[in-house]
Amino acid sequence: MTTNKHTTLVLGGTGRIGRRVTRKLIERGVNVRIGSRTGEPPFDWENPSTWAGAVTGVTSAYLMYHPEIEWPGAGDAIATMARLAADAGVERLVLLSARNQAEALRCENAVTNLPVQWTILAPASFNQNFDEGVFLQPLRHGVLALPAGDNADPFIDADDIADVAVAALTEDGHAGERYELTGPRLWTFAEGVGEIARATGRELRYEPITRDRFADAITDDGAPREFAETLATLISEFFDGRNSSLADGVERALNRKPRDFADWVAEIAPTGVWKAT
């Protein structure tokens, strides 16, 4: 275990990636400050008055934007937050970005133009969307309907992303690197849902739907219409085929292969998370 007396800020430290980054940093002996509304000091993307306090006294930071790095306005918010961090003396920034998204690229440029050690992580869609995120409840009901067509994506495990983030935050050799992070093979959603069906013994299916139909469904579930339409647009763009390729970021950063989606499904299925509701 490496002992580190410096403090690392982890934005979204209670989220899917952030909590894994936090745990792995603590296991290395790193002093962690969790950036969340309940953190000390508190951090809230919707309250800019909390931003400067979060970066005061830290030497490195993991940056992520809520709700998504591709969300309208993320570029301006990340630019302000990253500049505050640099001005506060933060030496190392690791940004959770996304592949082939215009707003995410704005966020990346805001970080890479600063006089700090930076590392960019641009992952594929997370495995954990299926058991911790927006795909879970539809799967429990038996049908995952998305505006993603029949395009494929190299789903990646959140622990692989967190491992790269922790390496970039604590080790030398990652400054100035942009890591595109993918799993080892491409999966269509029909194939991914089929893998979960085989592992659970359930009848599950994937249904490709239009962007507008997806937005209607999200609105019917109680989401504001503007949020639903933005989310529908982002999903349809992310899975329009632009990301249907493999990348070697995990291998370059960690000198090992990423975890396969099928292996992840085989581990998660016995927990019962995908039982019918």
Side-chain angles (χ1 to χ4, degrees), residues 45 51 65 73-83 103 106-107:
W45 277 117
W51 298 0
Y65 184 74
D76 292 336
I78 287 289
T80 300
M81 186 63 185
R83 171 56 66 182
E103 194 70 18
R106 290 186 62 211
C107 296

Side-chain angles (χ1 to χ4, degrees), residues 245-259:
S245 61
L246 302 179
D248 64 354
V250 173
E251 291 94 326
R252 288 199 295 119
L254 303 176
N255 197 31
R256 66 166 175 81
K257 291 187 177 298
R259 191 179 194 190

Side-chain angles (χ1 to χ4, degrees), residues 99-222:
R99 305 178 79 198
N100 301 310
Q101 300 288 317
E103 194 70 18
L105 183 58
R106 290 186 62 211
C107 296
E108 293 182 24
N109 290 337
V111 171
T112 60
N113 287 330
L114 292 173
V116 298
Q117 299 179 51
W118 55 262
T119 307
I120 305 298
L121 314 184
S125 180
F126 310 158
N127 294 353
Q128 282 70 18
N129 285 330
F130 290 89
D131 75 326
E132 299 177 18
V134 294
F135 303 160
L136 175 57
Q137 288 305 320
L139 284 170
R140 285 176 169 171
H141 293 303
V143 180
L144 177 61
L146 294 172
D150 296 320
N151 296 302
D153 191 77
F155 304 133
I156 184 165
D157 192 271
D159 277 298
D160 283 337
I161 302 171
D163 284 344
V164 176
V166 169
L169 287 165
T170 62
E171 300 171 3
D172 295 330
H174 303 285
E177 294 286 351
R178 184 181 188 274
Y179 294 124
E180 284 206 21
L181 307 175
T182 76
R185 55 175 165 155
L186 293 167
W187 294 78
T188 66
F189 276 98
E191 291 169 339
V193 171
E195 189 69 23
I196 295 173
R198 282 189 290 275
T200 59
R202 292 189 60 206
E203 291 187 8
L204 305 173
R205 64 182 174 88
Y206 163 67
E207 180 182 350
I209 59 174
T210 65
R211 171 196 171 281
D212 289 342
R213 183 177 165 195
F214 180 82
D216 289 342
I218 296 297
T219 303
D220 290 344
D221 285 341

